[in-house]
Amino acid sequence: MARKFLISRIALAVAMTGGIAAAAAPTMVAAKEKAPAKATFSKEYAAVAAPVDKAIADSKANAAVQAASQKAQAAKTDAEKAAAKAEVDAAMGGVLAQLQTAEAQATQPFDKLKQGEMTRNVGVLMNDPAMQHKGLVMMLDSGQTSPESLGQIQYLAGVTAYQSGKYDVAARYLQQSFDGGYRDTQNMIQPLLADSYKRSNNPQAALAMVQKELEAAKASGAKPSETSIRSALQASYDAKQLAPSTEYAAMLAQYYPSPASWNISTSIVRQLASLQNAENLDLMRLMNVTGAMKDKRDYLEYLQNVDPRAFPGEAVKIMDQGLAKNLLTQADVPDRGNSAGRVAADKASLPATERDALKPAATAAQVTGAGDVFLSYEDYPKAETLYKAALAKSGVDANKANLRLGMAQAMQGKAADAQATLAKVTGTRAPVAKLWAAYAASKATPAS
């Protein structure tokens, strides 16, 4: 489950090699012609930096540099990376030595800004994230980065630190970028920051970050960001915290309902809640209703939870679904014939079951049991009536009755009633009730 939220390496590679806005640092010519008067380089630095600047400027038109750079991008082993890096260096006329010489002469703020820019650009050509990170940090530390580009440079400094395995450093720069309001076009910053915190053993920092954003969205009436919800869900799941995991699982499914989202949300609660069969049955029912059942294990777990003797019709329905999707074989459901043989008699007994349950002398357990039978056969109006009758009886299991009453209401499209009913559920059934409430809410206010 945890793997579902991890960073896309392809997207990260694109982010890492992305260009910095033109305003990030003045070129040596532009510094003289267009930048403010203070944007000048020291004479000593300008002399040694000019060849490096020219080599970088000429690199796009230099076939040898481009070929070597492509090798660097494709390199897999350390040996291949080192060889490609050396090839880029040679094609650029020994740029690494020249870059080192220029760095020694970078004494003024704009020297350092320009040196950082060149170091980063050479690092991109060599596919060297550590070199890129060094250059980006030089730019930031120069104190001369333009306000328009500050957030992007902080972001790229975080990305390259992440690529270099320096996750605590990555988190620092990414947090600075995020707090400053920068958002990359790929929406990578939040999951990347969350994963950086996770990998530096600080998952609570990631959770606090997205909690703040989600609370702000809720307060403003805006739809929460899916990325924020997923980041919060990942952090709380990694920490094995049931309550917040359930909260964010419900938010994900409510605001971004899809079979895939429901699969994630229900599976997380399923793993963390340690539900008994009778409790887990209602979660499996939700998975089935939302199209979230994806594999053989889901169908076998559902069949393990539902008692074919008590609910033969429902058991046969799930068996047949699994068989039709080729997720189950006949060997997986050897009792299908026996279960199917009980359905007709079971359905024939329903009028008597309802009549007995509505007698004044009927117990809470008897009335709830009758509601369970009608719920299993998807007769939601009668199930609703019976659960309401059960709740009026002494000794009723209110959490069970309210959960299934809310389910029956949700399946009839009574979203407000269902949410109000499900909010009453406490105890071990509460996580399942919260997800059913999210289902009711998603039907009331479909995602845009």
Side-chain angles (χ1 to χ4, degrees):
M1 178 57 57
R3 301 296 299 175
K4 289 183 180 292
F5 298 93
L6 296 182
I7 305 303
S8 162
R9 300 296 171 184
I10 295 175
L12 191 56
V14 173
M16 187 177 117
T17 56
I20 299 175
T27 63
M28 301 191 79
V29 175
K32 297 176 182 177
E33 295 180 353
K34 298 181 180 179
K38 65 177 182 178
T40 57
F41 303 102
S42 67
K43 187 181 297 185
E44 296 80 5
Y45 178 73
V48 294
V52 181
D53 198 36
K54 185 176 187 305
I56 294 171
D58 293 344
S59 64
K60 289 185 179 181
N62 189 319
V65 173
Q66 290 302 309
S69 182
Q70 289 176 6
K71 288 182 182 180
Q73 302 299 326
K76 302 297 183 185
T77 67
D78 289 343
E80 289 174 343
K81 292 175 183 178
K85 184 175 178 179
E87 192 172 334
V88 173
D89 182 43
M92 296 182 72
V95 72
L96 290 177
Q98 296 177 60
L99 198 61
Q100 188 173 2
T101 299
E103 183 177 349
Q105 296 297 326
T107 57
Q108 302 301 313
F110 276 96
D111 295 351
K112 296 176 181 179
L113 180 64
K114 183 63 187 181
Q115 182 66 24
E117 178 196 86
M118 295 193 304
T119 301
R120 189 261 175 175
N121 288 337
V122 172
V124 170
L125 289 168
M126 294 183 170
N127 193 27
D128 186 337
M131 183 183 295
Q132 293 178 54
H133 179 73
K134 177 182 177 181
L136 291 160
V137 172
M138 284 183 183
M139 295 172 72
L140 294 170
D141 290 348
S142 74
Q144 300 302 320
T145 305
S146 70
E148 296 83 1
S149 299
L150 179 61
Q152 186 185 24
I153 296 174
Q154 289 170 329
Y155 169 69
L156 291 172
V159 169
T160 50
Y162 182 96
Q163 288 287 75
S164 302
K166 298 178 179 179
Y167 302 114
D168 55 338
V169 176
R172 183 169 75 249
Y173 285 108
L174 290 167
Q175 187 70 67
Q176 290 172 3
S177 177
F178 185 87
D179 289 345
Y182 178 76
R183 300 295 182 269
D184 63 295
T185 56
Q186 295 175 294
N187 296 317
M188 291 286 293
I189 190 167
Q190 287 177 290
L192 189 57
L193 178 53
D195 201 47
S196 296
Y197 277 128
K198 173 188 171 184
R199 291 173 183 269
S200 56
N201 298 315
N202 192 7
Q204 291 307 310
L207 188 55
M209 175 193 74
V210 291
Q211 281 176 330
K212 182 178 179 181
E213 181 166 336
L214 292 173
E215 288 169 2
K218 185 177 180 181
S220 66
K223 184 177 179 178
S225 158
E226 182 177 6
T227 300
S228 295
I229 296 173
R230 284 177 177 268
S231 295
L233 180 56
Q234 180 74 67
S236 54
Y237 172 75
D238 289 339
K240 305 302 179 188
Q241 297 175 330
L242 175 59
S245 292
T246 302
E247 184 73 27
Y248 298 124
M251 289 179 69
L252 176 64
Q254 175 181 339
Y255 290 107
Y256 300 94
S258 70
S261 293
W262 277 110
N263 181 269
I264 291 170
S265 296
T266 52
S267 294
I268 283 179
V269 171
R270 200 166 146 202
Q271 290 180 45
L272 297 181
S274 299
L275 300 168
Q276 298 298 313
N277 281 2
E279 299 164 340
N280 198 59
L281 173 59
D282 294 326
L283 186 59
M284 301 308 297
R285 285 167 166 166
L286 180 59
M287 289 190 74
N288 189 49
V289 165
T290 57
M293 293 174 62
K294 297 297 183 185
D295 54 36
K296 181 175 185 175
R297 173 183 171 242
D298 294 334
Y299 283 90
L300 291 179
E301 186 170 331
Y302 197 139
L303 292 172
Q304 180 182 359
N305 293 163
V306 69
D307 184 351
R309 294 165 299 180
F311 308 122
E314 184 173 2
V316 170
K317 177 185 72 174
I318 297 305
M319 291 178 193
D320 289 347
Q321 282 184 14
L323 291 168
K325 294 180 179 180
N326 294 318
L327 294 174
L328 294 178
T329 66
Q330 293 293 342
D332 294 320
V333 289
D335 294 331
R336 187 198 174 283
N338 291 333
S339 298
R342 285 196 291 268
V343 173
D346 195 48
K347 285 185 175 180
S349 70
L350 290 179
T353 298
E354 180 184 15
R355 184 174 59 252
D356 291 344
L358 293 178
K359 290 179 179 178
T363 65
Q366 184 181 358
V367 181
T368 301
D372 291 344
V373 172
F374 281 97
L375 183 73
S376 179
Y377 279 114
E378 301 178 8
D379 189 339
Y380 302 117
K382 287 187 177 179
E384 179 180 14
T385 298
L386 289 162
Y387 288 128
K388 285 181 176 178
L391 286 164
K393 300 276 185 178
S394 62
V396 66
D397 183 341
N399 286 321
K400 176 183 176 180
N402 275 316
L403 171 57
R404 292 184 173 172
L405 170 60
M407 290 164 57
Q409 291 168 330
M411 293 305 296
Q412 295 176 79
K414 299 180 178 180
D417 290 343
Q419 289 174 275
T421 300
L422 293 163
K424 300 174 184 177
V425 179
T426 61
T428 56
R429 295 181 187 268
V432 180
K434 188 170 285 292
L435 290 185
W436 269 99
Y439 173 74
S442 73
K443 293 301 181 182
T445 54
S448 59

PDB file of all heavy atoms in Angstrom, residues 345-378:
ATOM      1  N   ALA A 345     -35.667 -20.714  -0.848  1.00  0.00           N
ATOM      2  CA  ALA A 345     -36.367 -20.883   0.430  1.00  0.00           C
ATOM      3  C   ALA A 345     -36.137 -19.685   1.337  1.00  0.00           C
ATOM      4  O   ALA A 345     -37.041 -19.254   2.069  1.00  0.00           O
ATOM      5  CB  ALA A 345     -35.897 -22.171   1.104  1.00  0.00           C
ATOM      6  N   ASP A 346     -34.926 -19.130   1.274  1.00  0.00           N
ATOM      7  CA  ASP A 346     -34.611 -17.972   2.106  1.00  0.00           C
ATOM      8  C   ASP A 346     -35.468 -16.778   1.712  1.00  0.00           C
ATOM      9  O   ASP A 346     -36.018 -16.077   2.568  1.00  0.00           O
ATOM     10  CB  ASP A 346     -33.121 -17.638   1.969  1.00  0.00           C
ATOM     11  CG  ASP A 346     -32.625 -16.700   3.059  1.00  0.00           C
ATOM     12  OD1 ASP A 346     -32.923 -16.969   4.248  1.00  0.00           O
ATOM     13  OD2 ASP A 346     -31.951 -15.708   2.738  1.00  0.00           O
ATOM     14  N   LYS A 347     -35.584 -16.540   0.412  1.00  0.00           N
ATOM     15  CA  LYS A 347     -36.412 -15.421  -0.046  1.00  0.00           C
ATOM     16  C   LYS A 347     -37.878 -15.642   0.311  1.00  0.00           C
ATOM     17  O   LYS A 347     -38.588 -14.694   0.655  1.00  0.00           O
ATOM     18  CB  LYS A 347     -36.259 -15.244  -1.554  1.00  0.00           C
ATOM     19  CG  LYS A 347     -34.953 -14.602  -1.975  1.00  0.00           C
ATOM     20  CD  LYS A 347     -34.933 -14.351  -3.477  1.00  0.00           C
ATOM     21  CE  LYS A 347     -33.685 -13.593  -3.883  1.00  0.00           C
ATOM     22  NZ  LYS A 347     -33.645 -13.327  -5.354  1.00  0.00           N
ATOM     23  N   ALA A 348     -38.328 -16.881   0.230  1.00  0.00           N
ATOM     24  CA  ALA A 348     -39.724 -17.187   0.549  1.00  0.00           C
ATOM     25  C   ALA A 348     -40.044 -16.905   2.016  1.00  0.00           C
ATOM     26  O   ALA A 348     -41.197 -16.638   2.370  1.00  0.00           O
ATOM     27  CB  ALA A 348     -40.027 -18.645   0.210  1.00  0.00           C
ATOM     28  N   SER A 349     -39.038 -16.969   2.870  1.00  0.00           N
ATOM     29  CA  SER A 349     -39.263 -16.744   4.305  1.00  0.00           C
ATOM     30  C   SER A 349     -39.248 -15.270   4.694  1.00  0.00           C
ATOM     31  O   SER A 349     -39.521 -14.935   5.854  1.00  0.00           O
ATOM     32  CB  SER A 349     -38.194 -17.490   5.115  1.00  0.00           C
ATOM     33  OG  SER A 349     -36.917 -16.874   4.949  1.00  0.00           O
ATOM     34  N   LEU A 350     -38.933 -14.389   3.740  1.00  0.00           N
ATOM     35  CA  LEU A 350     -38.778 -12.971   4.086  1.00  0.00           C
ATOM     36  C   LEU A 350     -40.052 -12.340   4.638  1.00  0.00           C
ATOM     37  O   LEU A 350     -39.988 -11.588   5.633  1.00  0.00           O
ATOM     38  CB  LEU A 350     -38.282 -12.188   2.862  1.00  0.00           C
ATOM     39  CG  LEU A 350     -36.841 -12.469   2.427  1.00  0.00           C
ATOM     40  CD1 LEU A 350     -36.497 -11.646   1.187  1.00  0.00           C
ATOM     41  CD2 LEU A 350     -35.863 -12.153   3.558  1.00  0.00           C
ATOM     42  N   PRO A 351     -41.226 -12.563   4.066  1.00  0.00           N
ATOM     43  CA  PRO A 351     -42.433 -11.951   4.646  1.00  0.00           C
ATOM     44  C   PRO A 351     -42.656 -12.342   6.103  1.00  0.00           C
ATOM     45  O   PRO A 351     -43.018 -11.493   6.936  1.00  0.00           O
ATOM     46  CB  PRO A 351     -43.556 -12.480   3.740  1.00  0.00           C
ATOM     47  CG  PRO A 351     -42.874 -12.740   2.419  1.00  0.00           C
ATOM     48  CD  PRO A 351     -41.526 -13.274   2.801  1.00  0.00           C
ATOM     49  N   ALA A 352     -42.419 -13.606   6.419  1.00  0.00           N
ATOM     50  CA  ALA A 352     -42.594 -14.044   7.809  1.00  0.00           C
ATOM     51  C   ALA A 352     -41.541 -13.428   8.710  1.00  0.00           C
ATOM     52  O   ALA A 352     -41.829 -13.047   9.861  1.00  0.00           O
ATOM     53  CB  ALA A 352     -42.527 -15.577   7.872  1.00  0.00           C
ATOM     54  N   THR A 353     -40.337 -13.303   8.190  1.00  0.00           N
ATOM     55  CA  THR A 353     -39.262 -12.680   8.966  1.00  0.00           C
ATOM     56  C   THR A 353     -39.612 -11.240   9.301  1.00  0.00           C
ATOM     57  O   THR A 353     -39.449 -10.784  10.444  1.00  0.00           O
ATOM     58  CB  THR A 353     -37.939 -12.721   8.163  1.00  0.00           C
ATOM     59  OG1 THR A 353     -37.574 -14.081   7.925  1.00  0.00           O
ATOM     60  CG2 THR A 353     -36.828 -12.016   8.917  1.00  0.00           C
ATOM     61  N   GLU A 354     -40.114 -10.516   8.321  1.00  0.00           N
ATOM     62  CA  GLU A 354     -40.508  -9.121   8.546  1.00  0.00           C
ATOM     63  C   GLU A 354     -41.665  -9.030   9.534  1.00  0.00           C
ATOM     64  O   GLU A 354     -41.657  -8.198  10.459  1.00  0.00           O
ATOM     65  CB  GLU A 354     -40.891  -8.475   7.212  1.00  0.00           C
ATOM     66  CG  GLU A 354     -41.308  -7.019   7.364  1.00  0.00           C
ATOM     67  CD  GLU A 354     -41.788  -6.424   6.053  1.00  0.00           C
ATOM     68  OE1 GLU A 354     -42.067  -7.204   5.095  1.00  0.00           O
ATOM     69  OE2 GLU A 354     -41.919  -5.194   5.970  1.00  0.00           O
ATOM     70  N   ARG A 355     -42.655  -9.870   9.340  1.00  0.00           N
ATOM     71  CA  ARG A 355     -43.855  -9.851  10.210  1.00  0.00           C
ATOM     72  C   ARG A 355     -43.472 -10.131  11.659  1.00  0.00           C
ATOM     73  O   ARG A 355     -43.909  -9.419  12.576  1.00  0.00           O
ATOM     74  CB  ARG A 355     -44.860 -10.902   9.711  1.00  0.00           C
ATOM     75  CG  ARG A 355     -46.175 -10.905  10.475  1.00  0.00           C
ATOM     76  CD  ARG A 355     -47.186 -11.861   9.848  1.00  0.00           C
ATOM     77  NE  ARG A 355     -46.694 -13.250   9.805  1.00  0.00           N
ATOM     78  CZ  ARG A 355     -46.328 -13.864   8.678  1.00  0.00           C
ATOM     79  NH1 ARG A 355     -46.387 -13.242   7.511  1.00  0.00           N
ATOM     80  NH2 ARG A 355     -45.892 -15.116   8.721  1.00  0.00           N
ATOM     81  N   ASP A 356     -42.638 -11.128  11.897  1.00  0.00           N
ATOM     82  CA  ASP A 356     -42.247 -11.464  13.265  1.00  0.00           C
ATOM     83  C   ASP A 356     -41.408 -10.362  13.895  1.00  0.00           C
ATOM     84  O   ASP A 356     -41.529 -10.091  15.102  1.00  0.00           O
ATOM     85  CB  ASP A 356     -41.461 -12.774  13.272  1.00  0.00           C
ATOM     86  CG  ASP A 356     -42.329 -13.986  12.920  1.00  0.00           C
ATOM     87  OD1 ASP A 356     -43.575 -13.860  12.970  1.00  0.00           O
ATOM     88  OD2 ASP A 356     -41.751 -15.045  12.577  1.00  0.00           O
ATOM     89  N   ALA A 357     -40.570  -9.734  13.078  1.00  0.00           N
ATOM     90  CA  ALA A 357     -39.698  -8.697  13.611  1.00  0.00           C
ATOM     91  C   ALA A 357     -40.467  -7.455  14.035  1.00  0.00           C
ATOM     92  O   ALA A 357     -40.020  -6.717  14.936  1.00  0.00           O
ATOM     93  CB  ALA A 357     -38.650  -8.318  12.563  1.00  0.00           C
ATOM     94  N   LEU A 358     -41.612  -7.219  13.419  1.00  0.00           N
ATOM     95  CA  LEU A 358     -42.390  -6.016  13.740  1.00  0.00           C
ATOM     96  C   LEU A 358     -43.420  -6.248  14.848  1.00  0.00           C
ATOM     97  O   LEU A 358     -44.165  -5.322  15.202  1.00  0.00           O
ATOM     98  CB  LEU A 358     -43.080  -5.502  12.471  1.00  0.00           C
ATOM     99  CG  LEU A 358     -42.114  -4.971  11.382  1.00  0.00           C
ATOM    100  CD1 LEU A 358     -42.879  -4.542  10.147  1.00  0.00           C
ATOM    101  CD2 LEU A 358     -41.263  -3.817  11.922  1.00  0.00           C
ATOM    102  N   LYS A 359     -43.445  -7.449  15.409  1.00  0.00           N
ATOM    103  CA  LYS A 359     -44.340  -7.706  16.539  1.00  0.00           C
ATOM    104  C   LYS A 359     -43.805  -7.001  17.787  1.00  0.00           C
ATOM    105  O   LYS A 359     -42.589  -6.899  17.974  1.00  0.00           O
ATOM    106  CB  LYS A 359     -44.443  -9.216  16.800  1.00  0.00           C
ATOM    107  CG  LYS A 359     -45.201  -9.976  15.708  1.00  0.00           C
ATOM    108  CD  LYS A 359     -45.240 -11.468  16.011  1.00  0.00           C
ATOM    109  CE  LYS A 359     -46.023 -12.222  14.934  1.00  0.00           C
ATOM    110  NZ  LYS A 359     -46.034 -13.689  15.189  1.00  0.00           N
ATOM    111  N   PRO A 360     -44.650  -6.511  18.640  1.00  0.00           N
ATOM    112  CA  PRO A 360     -44.193  -5.800  19.841  1.00  0.00           C
ATOM    113  C   PRO A 360     -43.247  -6.611  20.714  1.00  0.00           C
ATOM    114  O   PRO A 360     -42.354  -6.055  21.355  1.00  0.00           O
ATOM    115  CB  PRO A 360     -45.504  -5.495  20.591  1.00  0.00           C
ATOM    116  CG  PRO A 360     -46.545  -5.469  19.520  1.00  0.00           C
ATOM    117  CD  PRO A 360     -46.132  -6.517  18.524  1.00  0.00           C
ATOM    118  N   ALA A 361     -43.436  -7.930  20.717  1.00  0.00           N
ATOM    119  CA  ALA A 361     -42.609  -8.753  21.601  1.00  0.00           C
ATOM    120  C   ALA A 361     -41.232  -9.071  21.009  1.00  0.00           C
ATOM    121  O   ALA A 361     -40.388  -9.669  21.688  1.00  0.00           O
ATOM    122  CB  ALA A 361     -43.336 -10.066  21.902  1.00  0.00           C
ATOM    123  N   ALA A 362     -40.978  -8.693  19.803  1.00  0.00           N
ATOM    124  CA  ALA A 362     -39.696  -9.005  19.156  1.00  0.00           C
ATOM    125  C   ALA A 362     -38.549  -8.316  19.893  1.00  0.00           C
ATOM    126  O   ALA A 362     -38.669  -7.173  20.341  1.00  0.00           O
ATOM    127  CB  ALA A 362     -39.716  -8.564  17.702  1.00  0.00           C
ATOM    128  N   THR A 363     -37.441  -8.998  20.027  1.00  0.00           N
ATOM    129  CA  THR A 363     -36.272  -8.431  20.712  1.00  0.00           C
ATOM    130  C   THR A 363     -35.465  -7.558  19.761  1.00  0.00           C
ATOM    131  O   THR A 363     -35.614  -7.627  18.529  1.00  0.00           O
ATOM    132  CB  THR A 363     -35.359  -9.547  21.234  1.00  0.00           C
ATOM    133  OG1 THR A 363     -34.825 -10.267  20.110  1.00  0.00           O
ATOM    134  CG2 THR A 363     -36.121 -10.497  22.145  1.00  0.00           C
ATOM    135  N   ALA A 364     -34.582  -6.766  20.332  1.00  0.00           N
ATOM    136  CA  ALA A 364     -33.720  -5.899  19.522  1.00  0.00           C
ATOM    137  C   ALA A 364     -32.866  -6.730  18.572  1.00  0.00           C
ATOM    138  O   ALA A 364     -32.690  -6.378  17.395  1.00  0.00           O
ATOM    139  CB  ALA A 364     -32.835  -5.041  20.421  1.00  0.00           C
ATOM    140  N   ALA A 365     -32.354  -7.852  19.079  1.00  0.00           N
ATOM    141  CA  ALA A 365     -31.508  -8.702  18.243  1.00  0.00           C
ATOM    142  C   ALA A 365     -32.313  -9.300  17.088  1.00  0.00           C
ATOM    143  O   ALA A 365     -31.809  -9.410  15.953  1.00  0.00           O
ATOM    144  CB  ALA A 365     -30.893  -9.812  19.087  1.00  0.00           C
ATOM    145  N   GLN A 366     -33.572  -9.678  17.358  1.00  0.00           N
ATOM    146  CA  GLN A 366     -34.413 -10.262  16.318  1.00  0.00           C
ATOM    147  C   GLN A 366     -34.721  -9.232  15.231  1.00  0.00           C
ATOM    148  O   GLN A 366     -34.658  -9.549  14.029  1.00  0.00           O
ATOM    149  CB  GLN A 366     -35.711 -10.777  16.940  1.00  0.00           C
ATOM    150  CG  GLN A 366     -36.623 -11.492  15.956  1.00  0.00           C
ATOM    151  CD  GLN A 366     -37.917 -11.974  16.607  1.00  0.00           C
ATOM    152  OE1 GLN A 366     -38.136 -11.811  17.813  1.00  0.00           O
ATOM    153  NE2 GLN A 366     -38.788 -12.582  15.821  1.00  0.00           N
ATOM    154  N   VAL A 367     -35.014  -8.024  15.634  1.00  0.00           N
ATOM    155  CA  VAL A 367     -35.359  -6.981  14.665  1.00  0.00           C
ATOM    156  C   VAL A 367     -34.120  -6.589  13.851  1.00  0.00           C
ATOM    157  O   VAL A 367     -34.194  -6.430  12.630  1.00  0.00           O
ATOM    158  CB  VAL A 367     -35.946  -5.748  15.371  1.00  0.00           C
ATOM    159  CG1 VAL A 367     -36.327  -4.680  14.344  1.00  0.00           C
ATOM    160  CG2 VAL A 367     -37.162  -6.134  16.196  1.00  0.00           C
ATOM    161  N   THR A 368     -32.971  -6.466  14.537  1.00  0.00           N
ATOM    162  CA  THR A 368     -31.735  -6.142  13.821  1.00  0.00           C
ATOM    163  C   THR A 368     -31.390  -7.240  12.828  1.00  0.00           C
ATOM    164  O   THR A 368     -30.986  -6.971  11.694  1.00  0.00           O
ATOM    165  CB  THR A 368     -30.570  -5.957  14.804  1.00  0.00           C
ATOM    166  OG1 THR A 368     -30.883  -4.912  15.723  1.00  0.00           O
ATOM    167  CG2 THR A 368     -29.278  -5.600  14.068  1.00  0.00           C
ATOM    168  N   GLY A 369     -31.560  -8.497  13.249  1.00  0.00           N
ATOM    169  CA  GLY A 369     -31.284  -9.624  12.366  1.00  0.00           C
ATOM    170  C   GLY A 369     -32.158  -9.601  11.120  1.00  0.00           C
ATOM    171  O   GLY A 369     -31.706  -9.918  10.012  1.00  0.00           O
ATOM    172  N   ALA A 370     -33.426  -9.226  11.300  1.00  0.00           N
ATOM    173  CA  ALA A 370     -34.326  -9.121  10.152  1.00  0.00           C
ATOM    174  C   ALA A 370     -33.862  -8.013   9.210  1.00  0.00           C
ATOM    175  O   ALA A 370     -33.875  -8.174   7.981  1.00  0.00           O
ATOM    176  CB  ALA A 370     -35.757  -8.851  10.633  1.00  0.00           C
ATOM    177  N   GLY A 371     -33.421  -6.899   9.793  1.00  0.00           N
ATOM    178  CA  GLY A 371     -32.883  -5.811   8.967  1.00  0.00           C
ATOM    179  C   GLY A 371     -31.669  -6.269   8.186  1.00  0.00           C
ATOM    180  O   GLY A 371     -31.490  -5.911   7.011  1.00  0.00           O
ATOM    181  N   ASP A 372     -30.836  -7.096   8.825  1.00  0.00           N
ATOM    182  CA  ASP A 372     -29.635  -7.609   8.151  1.00  0.00           C
ATOM    183  C   ASP A 372     -29.990  -8.440   6.925  1.00  0.00           C
ATOM    184  O   ASP A 372     -29.315  -8.364   5.895  1.00  0.00           O
ATOM    185  CB  ASP A 372     -28.815  -8.466   9.127  1.00  0.00           C
ATOM    186  CG  ASP A 372     -28.182  -7.654  10.243  1.00  0.00           C
ATOM    187  OD1 ASP A 372     -28.114  -6.417  10.114  1.00  0.00           O
ATOM    188  OD2 ASP A 372     -27.748  -8.267  11.240  1.00  0.00           O
ATOM    189  N   VAL A 373     -31.061  -9.241   7.051  1.00  0.00           N
ATOM    190  CA  VAL A 373     -31.461 -10.095   5.930  1.00  0.00           C
ATOM    191  C   VAL A 373     -31.929  -9.238   4.755  1.00  0.00           C
ATOM    192  O   VAL A 373     -31.541  -9.469   3.595  1.00  0.00           O
ATOM    193  CB  VAL A 373     -32.567 -11.076   6.359  1.00  0.00           C
ATOM    194  CG1 VAL A 373     -33.114 -11.823   5.145  1.00  0.00           C
ATOM    195  CG2 VAL A 373     -32.026 -12.059   7.394  1.00  0.00           C
ATOM    196  N   PHE A 374     -32.758  -8.250   5.027  1.00  0.00           N
ATOM    197  CA  PHE A 374     -33.253  -7.394   3.941  1.00  0.00           C
ATOM    198  C   PHE A 374     -32.121  -6.542   3.345  1.00  0.00           C
ATOM    199  O   PHE A 374     -32.111  -6.287   2.142  1.00  0.00           O
ATOM    200  CB  PHE A 374     -34.401  -6.518   4.445  1.00  0.00           C
ATOM    201  CG  PHE A 374     -35.713  -7.255   4.522  1.00  0.00           C
ATOM    202  CD1 PHE A 374     -36.148  -7.791   5.726  1.00  0.00           C
ATOM    203  CD2 PHE A 374     -36.487  -7.446   3.390  1.00  0.00           C
ATOM    204  CE1 PHE A 374     -37.353  -8.486   5.798  1.00  0.00           C
ATOM    205  CE2 PHE A 374     -37.689  -8.143   3.445  1.00  0.00           C
ATOM    206  CZ  PHE A 374     -38.131  -8.669   4.659  1.00  0.00           C
ATOM    207  N   LEU A 375     -31.178  -6.109   4.171  1.00  0.00           N
ATOM    208  CA  LEU A 375     -30.026  -5.371   3.664  1.00  0.00           C
ATOM    209  C   LEU A 375     -29.211  -6.259   2.722  1.00  0.00           C
ATOM    210  O   LEU A 375     -28.758  -5.824   1.663  1.00  0.00           O
ATOM    211  CB  LEU A 375     -29.139  -4.901   4.826  1.00  0.00           C
ATOM    212  CG  LEU A 375     -27.926  -4.048   4.442  1.00  0.00           C
ATOM    213  CD1 LEU A 375     -28.361  -2.647   4.015  1.00  0.00           C
ATOM    214  CD2 LEU A 375     -26.949  -3.939   5.623  1.00  0.00           C
ATOM    215  N   SER A 376     -29.056  -7.517   3.104  1.00  0.00           N
ATOM    216  CA  SER A 376     -28.290  -8.452   2.291  1.00  0.00           C
ATOM    217  C   SER A 376     -28.929  -8.659   0.923  1.00  0.00           C
ATOM    218  O   SER A 376     -28.222  -8.812  -0.080  1.00  0.00           O
ATOM    219  CB  SER A 376     -28.177  -9.798   3.029  1.00  0.00           C
ATOM    220  OG  SER A 376     -27.461 -10.733   2.260  1.00  0.00           O
ATOM    221  N   TYR A 377     -30.282  -8.643   0.879  1.00  0.00           N
ATOM    222  CA  TYR A 377     -30.988  -8.795  -0.385  1.00  0.00           C
ATOM    223  C   TYR A 377     -31.225  -7.459  -1.091  1.00  0.00           C
ATOM    224  O   TYR A 377     -31.964  -7.383  -2.077  1.00  0.00           O
ATOM    225  CB  TYR A 377     -32.322  -9.518  -0.164  1.00  0.00           C
ATOM    226  CG  TYR A 377     -32.160 -11.027  -0.072  1.00  0.00           C
ATOM    227  CD1 TYR A 377     -32.435 -11.704   1.117  1.00  0.00           C
ATOM    228  CD2 TYR A 377     -31.720 -11.765  -1.174  1.00  0.00           C
ATOM    229  CE1 TYR A 377     -32.292 -13.088   1.202  1.00  0.00           C
ATOM    230  CE2 TYR A 377     -31.581 -13.145  -1.100  1.00  0.00           C
ATOM    231  CZ  TYR A 377     -31.854 -13.801   0.089  1.00  0.00           C
ATOM    232  OH  TYR A 377     -31.686 -15.180   0.158  1.00  0.00           O
ATOM    233  N   GLU A 378     -30.605  -6.407  -0.578  1.00  0.00           N
ATOM    234  CA  GLU A 378     -30.641  -5.075  -1.185  1.00  0.00           C
ATOM    235  C   GLU A 378     -32.048  -4.477  -1.191  1.00  0.00           C
ATOM    236  O   GLU A 378     -32.371  -3.629  -2.038  1.00  0.00           O
ATOM    237  CB  GLU A 378     -30.056  -5.101  -2.603  1.00  0.00           C
ATOM    238  CG  GLU A 378     -28.611  -5.579  -2.623  1.00  0.00           C
ATOM    239  CD  GLU A 378     -28.026  -5.665  -4.028  1.00  0.00           C
ATOM    240  OE1 GLU A 378     -28.695  -5.216  -4.993  1.00  0.00           O
ATOM    241  OE2 GLU A 378     -26.906  -6.186  -4.169  1.00  0.00           O
TER     242      GLU A 378
END
